[in-house]
Amino acid sequence: MIFNTHTHLNDSQVIDVDTLVQNAHNNNVTHMAVVGSDFQTSVKALEIAKHYENIYAICGLHPNDSELFNDSLQIFFPLLQDPRTIGIGEIGLDYHYENTNKEKQKYYFEKFLSLASEIHKPVIIHCRDAYLDTYELLEKYHQKLDGIILHCYSGSVEMMQRFLKLGCYISIAGTVTFKNAKEIKEVVQSVPLNKLLVETDDPYLTPVPYRGKQNQPAYVVFVIQEIAKLKAMNYDDIAAITFNNAKKVFHL
Ligand SMILES: [Zn+2]
């Protein structure tokens, strides 16, 4: 069995959830976490989670969406407390685009970290071009948190070592299959097996050999294949190890 820890089956680009779930099952991808990026997509993630066995929701506010957010965070409370919601995310910092409102991003990131420390569910972190600020806030909260997942990790090996000391899990996405992804391949080679997770982040970041087409949860098999190659291990072992890690961090 395979646990895909990060899919956006709730994305507006996804037309036929049933077929994608079936494709995933045909590839032994039995468990998934559907991740919200704002209030509406979090509601949809939970709807999907309630509809399928072994599919769960992760609800939160993506840093890029936090810049447009003007509501009260209270609207998220019922979603976060629902038993089908197994984590809080994706939250974090993304300084990739010009003119990002870093202060607003940090404000909401910290609000959600503080909320997570009360609700006792793991946090799923989106971090892009903001590793130092992300580290600083996680360092402040990590002892109160119930688990930290760095989703689609794209930082350096050195930075990963620092995050590992905070107890973070490192989730690897389809970008590891890209030929020029030297740094992520190095990360995979040195990440400890007990901290490794796999994901697709679909419908984005389609792995080789389907690059250019729309991504889907079943394609996590290509992520596992590449990790197995890089770690000189069996495909089945990587599948089983990452499945058990996911069950552990999500308390399932
Ligand atoms: Zn995502």
Side-chain angles (χ1 to χ4, degrees), residues 6 8 90 151 201:
H6 199 111
H8 295 285
E90 49 191 292
H151 124 76
D201 203 18

Side-chain angles (χ1 to χ4, degrees), residues 229-245:
K229 208 170 90 188
L230 290 164
K231 282 195 163 306
M233 290 177 61
N234 288 330
Y235 174 91
D236 287 342
D237 289 341
I238 298 293
I241 287 165
T242 52
F243 181 85
N244 290 328
N245 289 344

Side-chain angles (χ1 to χ4, degrees), residues 174-186 208 211 226:
T175 43
V176 73
T177 65
F178 300 171
K179 262 209 180 86
N180 57 359
K182 195 169 161 269
E183 201 167 43
I184 308 169
K185 289 181 200 286
E186 284 169 13
V208 175
R211 223 178 152 177
E226 183 67 23

Side-chain angles (χ1 to χ4, degrees), residues 8-215:
H8 295 285
L9 282 175
N10 50 349
D11 192 280
S12 56
Q13 289 179 51
V14 177
I15 314 281
D16 187 355
V17 176
D18 269 338
T19 303
L20 297 189
V21 169
Q22 194 52 52
N23 278 354
H25 280 192
N26 294 345
N27 287 277
N28 208 21
V29 182
T30 50
H31 291 58
M32 296 177 218
V34 182
V35 184
S37 52
D38 61 8
F39 179 70
Q40 285 310 329
T41 51
S42 293
V43 168
K44 206 166 164 197
L46 194 52
E47 273 172 20
I48 294 171
K50 284 178 174 171
H51 191 73
Y52 297 95
E53 210 184 331
N54 299 326
I55 295 187
Y56 303 92
I58 287 167
C59 298
L61 186 61
H62 188 290
N64 293 133
D65 291 289
S66 73
E67 297 193 32
L68 307 164
F69 188 75
N70 287 308
D71 236 315
S72 157
L73 274 196
Q74 278 185 346
I75 59 169
F76 281 96
F77 291 2
L79 301 177
L80 299 178
Q81 274 150 352
D82 193 288
R84 297 294 291 181
T85 300
I86 55 171
I88 298 173
E90 49 191 292
I91 57 172
L93 300 172
D94 189 331
Y95 298 165
H96 183 70
Y97 301 101
E98 259 177 70
N99 306 318
T100 50
N101 187 337
K102 293 183 184 177
E103 289 316 309
K104 200 164 177 192
Q105 287 195 16
K106 278 195 225 171
Y107 172 81
Y108 281 112
F109 184 28
E110 185 154 13
K111 283 268 178 219
F112 270 99
L113 289 176
S114 141
L115 207 56
S117 60
E118 286 162 28
I119 293 178
H120 303 298
K121 290 184 184 182
V123 288
I124 291 73
I125 308 295
H126 171 104
C127 174
R128 195 176 183 197
D129 300 339
Y131 280 97
L132 286 174
D133 284 0
T134 301
Y135 179 83
E136 223 167 75
L137 277 169
L138 289 179
E139 217 234 335
K140 183 171 164 193
Y141 282 90
H142 78 283
Q143 277 167 332
K144 290 185 247 163
L145 293 171
D146 195 56
I148 306 169
I149 297 171
L150 298 182
H151 124 76
C152 189
Y153 184 77
S154 59
S156 65
V157 174
E158 293 71 29
M159 204 64 227
M160 176 183 72
Q161 302 296 355
R162 296 180 68 189
F163 282 115
L164 287 170
K165 285 193 187 124
L166 302 184
C168 296
Y169 283 79
I170 307 294
S171 185
I172 301 296
T175 43
V176 73
T177 65
F178 300 171
K179 262 209 180 86
N180 57 359
K182 195 169 161 269
E183 201 167 43
I184 308 169
K185 289 181 200 286
E186 284 169 13
V187 160
V188 166
Q189 282 164 334
S190 54
V191 64
L193 287 170
N194 65 344
K195 291 295 177 188
L196 176 65
L197 297 170
V198 288
E199 62 166 278
T200 40
D201 203 18
D202 58 278
Y204 315 100
L205 301 178
T206 313
V208 175
Y210 290 113
R211 223 178 152 177
K213 301 212 175 86
Q214 186 170 305
N215 198 4

